[in-house]
Amino acid sequence: MKVLMSLRKLDNFVVIVWCCLKYFLASLPISEISLKSKSAKNFSFSEDWDMAKRAIDMGLYISFSGIVTFKNAQSVREVAKKVPLDRLLIETDSPYLAPVPYRGTSNYPKYVYDIARFLSTLRNESFSSFCKRTYKNTCSLF
């Protein structure tokens, strides 16, 4: 938390929430994240919609990894359907969390294609427009 307190004094930085989102959000009021950060993202999202909505309201991007493709991740898929496309990112978390059909093996950056394909189908969006938008989001963040 001390690092975050220092970062708040900067005008142009990216916050990556690499821990349990609910504890992170509980530790800071909304204004403390959204006021100065260039952008922020939640790493490998696996929470519920209430948590996603709160993060989005604070200006965070919601990033989905291979977890969204797992059979037991129905709640994550429900969130993925609701996240506005302009706040959505995809990631691999290599070498962990390989998407189905690679689950249980090492993960590779090239599998982001499979996550994008899965999410565009889940959201009933064209693969091409989904990829263009998530690319634009990534460029905006970093």
Side-chain angles (χ1 to χ4, degrees):
M1 244 352 128
K2 210 178 247 186
V3 171
L4 215 49
M5 301 297 233
S6 299
L7 286 176
R8 278 189 300 211
K9 295 176 184 168
L10 302 175
D11 288 332
N12 194 13
F13 64 91
V14 175
V15 174
I16 298 178
V17 181
W18 203 322
C19 63
C20 187
L21 183 60
K22 66 182 169 188
Y23 298 119
F24 177 77
L25 295 180
S27 68
L28 294 172
I30 288 177
S31 61
E32 297 209 36
I33 287 280
S34 57
L35 72 155
K36 284 192 176 179
S37 68
K38 173 186 173 192
S39 286
K41 82 176 223 35
N42 173 241
F43 171 80
S44 195
F45 187 84
S46 60
E47 303 285 346
D48 61 16
W49 173 244
D50 290 338
M51 201 58 55
K53 176 79 171 90
R54 186 163 175 220
I56 291 165
D57 289 347
M58 291 173 67
L60 273 75
Y61 286 89
I62 304 297
S63 186
F64 295 95
S65 66
I67 290 172
V68 74
T69 68
F70 296 175
K71 188 188 298 187
N72 64 349
Q74 185 58 37
S75 62
V76 176
R77 285 192 292 280
E78 291 304 316
V79 172
K81 290 179 191 178
K82 294 179 181 180
V83 172
L85 188 54
D86 68 337
R87 302 311 299 168
L88 193 147
L89 295 170
I90 51 178
E91 63 184 86
T92 61
D93 191 30
S94 294
Y96 308 106
L97 303 174
V100 171
Y102 311 105
R103 189 171 182 189
T105 66
S106 289
N107 198 0
Y108 297 96
K110 66 182 179 181
Y111 294 163
V112 76
Y113 172 93
D114 298 277
I115 297 165
R117 175 69 70 189
F118 181 89
L119 283 168
S120 67
T121 300
L122 177 73
R123 294 168 56 93
N124 199 29
E125 297 175 10
S126 86
F127 181 64
S128 176
S129 63
F130 181 85
C131 290
K132 286 176 186 173
R133 186 58 217 211
T134 55
Y135 174 76
K136 183 177 177 181
N137 294 347
T138 302
C139 292
S140 293
L141 177 64
F142 295 105

